[in-house]
Amino acid sequence: MTTVTAQIPADWPATEERARAVQDGLRARVVLDEPGPPPGTGTVTGVDVAYDDARDVVAAAAVTLDAATLAVVAEATAVGRISFPYVPGLLAFREIPTVLAALDALPCPPGLVVCDGYGRAHPRRFGLASHLGVLTGLATVGVAKNPFTFAYDDPDTPRGSTSPLLDGAEEVGRALRTRAAVKPVFVSVGHRVGLDNACAHTLALAPAFRLPETTRRADALCRAALRAAAYPA
């Protein structure tokens, strides 16, 4: 497995005002009219991050699975300095540089990328999955553990049941039951994937647990990378 050092780009936003302006500019580039790859085909990559704020360190992991068998194809991690302060709605600016470094370190194309977070289900309609998709051109999906600030009705009990995740009357994602009678996950489009397909991928990636295998494996890997990080030098 490859571990690389992530660098913060020289032009990376340093203020909330600048970060929101960047969001506004990139949001217009999100592609919402492509269905995305069929579930169970090609590869799918999970990305996740872990922080040690006391050391000013963030670690990211990218884990690529065979979409049909869910066997691990490749893994990479990146470690770097935290690139932006904690501001709700702007978390992508803390994570993107290190996530990009981990993705770049993979020895194979990532295929569909599944983020532990949000895409369109974001107050500004531009969460991590959308931001990452626009910057890379990859098809991306957000699968979150909670609904952020949005409303939803509890899906029916059986696995595969869904209900709309709503901001007023607008459907920004779906609550998806990946295990019968277990709390749902919250799926939203990132870039170049339709919502129906995003839910189908999420269900296919979660045959035994609430969270997709992409997220489970990336979470464990980035936490291990953070524990092993040599920062501060």
Side-chain angles (χ1 to χ4, degrees):
M1 183 187 68
T2 301
T3 300
V4 297
T5 301
Q7 303 295 329
I8 301 173
D11 60 348
W12 200 245
T15 66
E16 290 186 41
E17 181 181 17
R18 176 60 183 151
R20 294 186 192 283
V22 170
Q23 276 189 336
D24 289 341
L26 294 178
R27 184 173 54 240
R29 294 165 51 186
V30 174
V31 174
L32 300 174
D33 59 355
E34 292 185 18
T41 62
T43 56
V44 58
T45 296
V47 294
D48 201 1
V49 300
Y51 295 97
D52 185 337
D53 287 286
R55 291 191 295 157
D56 187 34
V57 179
V58 58
V63 181
T64 302
L65 307 182
D66 181 292
T69 66
L70 303 187
V72 175
V73 174
E75 299 176 331
T77 58
V79 177
R81 298 295 184 188
I82 296 172
S83 56
F84 197 80
Y86 173 80
V87 180
L90 298 176
L91 297 185
F93 291 94
R94 285 169 64 86
E95 302 181 358
I96 287 281
T98 317
V99 170
L100 287 175
L103 283 172
D104 287 345
L106 288 171
C108 60
L112 176 76
V113 176
V114 179
C115 300
D116 178 23
Y118 308 96
R120 295 285 290 172
H122 180 274
R124 296 168 63 82
R125 303 296 183 268
F126 199 69
L128 172 65
S130 297
H131 199 146
L132 185 65
V134 168
L135 291 182
T136 62
L138 297 169
T140 56
V141 171
V143 181
K145 300 179 184 72
N146 62 70
F148 206 3
T149 60
F150 302 114
Y152 72 100
D153 292 328
D154 206 35
D156 290 340
T157 299
R159 167 178 157 85
S161 300
T162 65
S163 64
L165 190 62
L166 298 171
D167 185 5
E170 180 184 359
E171 184 180 34
V172 296
R174 286 185 194 148
L176 169 66
R177 190 88 69 187
T178 53
R179 294 191 67 196
V182 171
K183 181 183 176 181
V185 296
F186 301 91
V187 181
S188 58
V189 169
H191 182 62
R192 300 183 58 203
V193 180
L195 186 54
D196 288 344
N197 205 18
C199 289
H201 274 286
T202 304
L203 201 62
L205 290 167
F209 298 94
R210 175 182 175 239
L211 296 177
E213 283 299 300
T214 42
T215 299
R216 284 167 32 82
R217 292 177 182 271
D219 174 76
L221 192 61
C222 69
R223 292 179 187 279
L226 186 66
R227 290 193 296 270
Y231 288 93

